[in-house]
Amino acid sequence: MAAELFDKIYGRYYYVVRRMLEAGARASLTRRDMDDVCGAYSYRESALTIVPKLTGGGWALFEQREDKTYAPVLHHPDRLKPPLTGLQKSWLKSLLADPRARLFFTDSQLAEVEEALGDAESLYDPLDFHYFDRYLDGDDYTSELYRKNFQAVLEALEQNRTLKILYQGPKNCRSSCEAGPCQLQ
C-alpha cells in the first residue's frame, strides 16, 4: 500500500493559499495584503512565488478589479476544506470495517461515505487481530433489527426526545422503561 504519511495538500503553500482565499472572501486584497498574508503564514519570500501564480499565473485563483485590488474567483472560498489524504481515507475505511462503527450511519450515509472513500485500501483487516477477552455470543451488530433499534436510540439522543423501551428477557419476562428527555452525560 502506498499511503503517504504527509500529503502535499497540507504543505505550507496550500495553507497560505487557503488563508489568502479566506481573507479575500472577507474583503478584496491589495498586492501588499497578499504579501502580508504570505509573510504571516510562511516565509516572506514565498510571496515572490505564490502571489504571481495566484493573480494570473498558473493558478489564477484571484482576479484583478478596477480599483487594483484582487478578489477570489471562487464562489465561497471561505468554506474551503482540504480533501482527505490517502492515509486518512485508508484509516476511515479500516474503521468502517468494524460492524459497530456502521451502527452510527444510515444505509444512505454509508453509501455516501463509501463513495467518498473510493478505492482506498484499508490500513488493516479486523481479522488480523486476535482478541482473547471478547464474548463470542455478543450482539449481532449487522442485524437489520439491531441497527434499526440503535438508530432510534441515537436519534432520540440527538433530538433530545423521550424514549420508551420495551424489553423482553430470556424467560419471556417483559419490562418497560421510559427515559426522557434523553440527554448525553
Side-chain angles (χ1 to χ4, degrees), residues 22-41:
E22 289 170 349
R26 292 188 295 274
S28 295
L29 304 174
T30 64
R31 172 66 193 238
R32 173 80 178 167
D33 295 334
M34 296 172 102
D35 290 342
D36 290 344
V37 170
C38 283
Y41 297 105

Side-chain angles (χ1 to χ4, degrees), residues 156 160-165 176-183:
N160 198 26
R161 290 194 348 233
T162 301
L163 185 64
K164 185 171 184 175
I165 300 171
S176 112
C177 158
E178 189 163 325
C182 292
Q183 293 184 3

Side-chain angles (χ1 to χ4, degrees), residues 72-88:
V73 296
L74 303 173
H75 293 291
H76 298 285
D78 54 330
R79 296 186 201 158
L80 286 178
K81 301 280 187 250
L84 294 174
T85 66
L87 184 61
Q88 289 170 324

Side-chain angles (χ1 to χ4, degrees), residues 7 9 13 31 57 61 67 72 87 91 106 108 123 130 144 146 173 182 184:
D7 196 291
I9 63 170
Y13 274 21
R31 172 66 193 238
L61 293 173
D67 62 355
L87 184 61
W91 173 248
T106 64
S108 62
L123 282 179
H130 174 71
E144 282 303 313
Y146 192 98
C173 297
C182 292
L184 293 174

Side-chain angles (χ1 to χ4, degrees), residues 139 145 149 164-177:
D139 293 348
L145 180 59
N149 290 337
K164 185 171 184 175
I165 300 171
L166 177 64
Y167 172 75
Q168 184 168 340
K171 296 181 181 178
N172 288 331
C173 297
R174 289 183 171 212
S175 63
S176 112
C177 158

Side-chain angles (χ1 to χ4, degrees), residues 54-135:
L54 288 174
T55 58
W59 302 338
L61 293 173
F62 282 83
E63 61 187 1
Q64 189 172 15
R65 295 196 166 168
E66 290 179 18
D67 62 355
K68 303 288 186 205
T69 61
Y70 295 90
V73 296
L74 303 173
H75 293 291
H76 298 285
D78 54 330
R79 296 186 201 158
L80 286 178
K81 301 280 187 250
L84 294 174
T85 66
L87 184 61
Q88 289 170 324
K89 287 181 179 182
S90 293
W91 173 248
L92 290 172
K93 201 128 193 190
S94 299
L95 293 178
L96 288 177
D98 183 340
R100 293 171 297 180
R102 301 174 83 81
L103 293 171
F104 291 90
F105 300 97
T106 64
D107 288 337
S108 62
Q109 290 171 328
L110 279 172
E112 189 177 323
V113 167
E114 289 184 9
E115 181 182 333
L117 296 178
D119 60 351
E121 199 175 314
S122 183
L123 282 179
Y124 61 84
D125 185 332
L127 297 176
D128 292 339
F129 299 95
H130 174 71
Y131 298 99
F132 56 88
D133 61 347
R134 278 196 178 171
Y135 292 111

